[in-house]
Amino acid sequence: MAPHATDSNGDSQPVNAGERPHEPGVKKNLAAQGALNFPRPPTFEDKYAERDFLKGRLAAAFRIFGKYGFDEGVAGHITLRDPVQPDCFWVNPFGVAFSMINKSDLILVNHSGEVIDGGPVRLLNQAAYMIHSAIHHARPDVICAAHSHSIYGRTWCSLGRKIDTLTQDACAFHNDHVVYDSFNGVVLAEKEGKDIAACLGDKKAALLQNHGLLTVGHTVEETIFWFVSLEKCCHSQLMAEAAASSRGEHPIIIGDEEATYTSRTVGSHRAGWFSAKPMFDVIHKETNGDYLQ
């Protein structure tokens, strides 16, 4: 017999597998109203206004990467599909520190790899173009993609394994990430970028073997949260495996059913976007909005 829950009227309501019942005392219509009032990403009728707003979010994303230490010399890139010209994307100028990037510094790259607009430094990282152009072409749903050589991510990627679902946070990546099990040096070939995009498929993240993390999303915020969270999941598993092995044990993995259920809450596009809000709020406060210049 299927499990039941009791609503505020005392009526018994069936609960489907993998779905959370209404909390006691909350009527269905009130629950629905609460869902409608939940924050959503802003929408724009004017594509140029949307471009301006999203460029500000992308600049903030680089400041977040700088704050978290997701930089290694000139390596790393985050791209934003341009809402005005969807076959083009905005990216960081090669060689400019993440922690110094402003909205006006970003450069616009077309499908041929030409810089057609942007800030004073119009130097393009060819690896960024090869990887991101292939992903944006293969995934029309992807608005933003991020890759960098973060310390725990690149360390975990040297193992050539997916992360295990050890924690609630890791459930966001349950059955939603891949391992790209090849390393051919700096990605300067078109084929390599296409191979990475093909391996990523419809997932939100890829572990590039001997290289680093890659995340994608429907918003800048979602993409950045997945990257930060995946980096922390790599860190967590490295520590968990080290602690367990010292006792001849193994970390406990969350069951598939429980992980799948949890991923619907913590791994959705909206969850990723909303979970990033505190990071973006803090970076705006700490920089006094300097990145919007």
Side-chain angles (χ1 to χ4, degrees):
M1 181 177 178
H4 282 62
T6 302
D7 65 17
S8 59
N9 296 320
D11 298 324
S12 181
Q13 302 290 338
V15 178
N16 296 324
E19 294 183 359
R20 183 193 305 171
H22 292 302
E23 293 183 20
V26 179
K27 294 184 178 180
K28 287 184 178 181
N29 64 327
L30 293 179
Q33 290 173 16
L36 291 174
N37 292 330
F38 195 80
R40 297 171 179 265
T43 58
F44 297 83
E45 293 184 4
D46 183 341
K47 290 297 181 182
Y48 287 93
E50 183 178 8
R51 169 194 276 179
D52 187 67
F53 173 80
L54 292 178
K55 285 177 64 181
R57 303 308 273 174
L58 182 59
F62 283 111
R63 296 297 187 99
I64 291 170
F65 267 35
K67 176 180 178 177
Y68 279 84
F70 297 161
D71 49 5
E72 183 72 18
V74 297
H77 21 85
I78 311 171
T79 55
L80 164 70
R81 187 189 298 275
D82 183 46
V84 178
Q85 302 177 77
D87 62 342
C88 302
F89 60 79
W90 295 91
V91 68
N92 50 309
F94 199 24
V96 177
F98 289 173
S99 297
M100 297 174 60
I101 287 179
N102 294 329
K103 180 172 66 174
S104 59
D105 293 318
L106 301 170
I107 57 176
L108 184 63
V109 181
N110 68 14
H111 64 279
S112 300
E114 301 168 328
V115 178
I116 60 174
D117 197 0
V121 179
R122 298 198 173 186
L123 192 60
L124 173 64
N125 182 334
Q126 285 300 310
Y129 170 71
M130 291 302 176
I131 295 173
H132 291 259
S133 62
I135 290 172
H136 284 291
H137 178 75
R139 292 280 300 276
D141 64 306
V142 166
I143 300 301
C144 181
H147 165 66
S148 196
H149 300 173
S150 53
I151 184 63
Y152 297 108
R154 73 190 190 201
T155 301
W156 179 261
C157 286
S158 70
L159 304 179
R161 295 168 47 197
K162 290 183 180 181
I163 61 166
D164 294 323
T165 312
L166 299 183
T167 64
Q168 176 174 300
D169 306 285
C171 289
F173 304 97
H174 183 68
N175 294 330
D176 206 8
H177 74 290
V178 298
V179 173
Y180 179 68
D181 59 355
S182 177
F183 179 76
N184 297 302
V186 179
V187 181
L188 299 177
E190 182 179 356
K191 180 181 183 301
E192 184 85 358
K194 289 182 176 179
D195 287 347
I196 291 173
C199 180
L200 176 65
D202 63 353
K203 309 303 185 187
K204 65 162 59 89
L207 307 176
L208 309 183
Q209 186 172 295
N210 305 110
H211 193 170
L213 308 181
L214 171 72
T215 59
V216 300
H218 289 185
T219 59
V220 173
E221 293 89 346
E222 176 194 353
T223 303
I224 298 311
F225 182 75
W226 296 147
F227 193 99
V228 172
S229 184
L230 185 55
E231 167 76 357
K232 291 180 177 180
C233 287
C234 291
H235 188 182
S236 175
Q237 185 157 354
L238 287 166
M239 292 193 297
E241 290 199 357
S245 65
S246 69
R247 299 170 58 88
E249 301 172 349
H250 298 281
I252 298 172
I253 298 175
I254 296 172
D256 180 71
E257 181 179 357
E258 293 79 7
T260 300
Y261 165 79
T262 306
S263 71
R264 295 173 187 168
T265 301
V266 302
S268 69
H269 298 298
R270 183 82 66 81
W273 172 81
F274 189 61
S275 295
K277 182 182 181 299
M279 289 190 294
F280 280 78
D281 289 346
V282 168
I283 208 68
H284 185 81
K285 178 72 172 181
E286 291 180 344
T287 64
N288 197 30
D290 177 63
Y291 61 89
L292 292 173
Q293 296 182 37

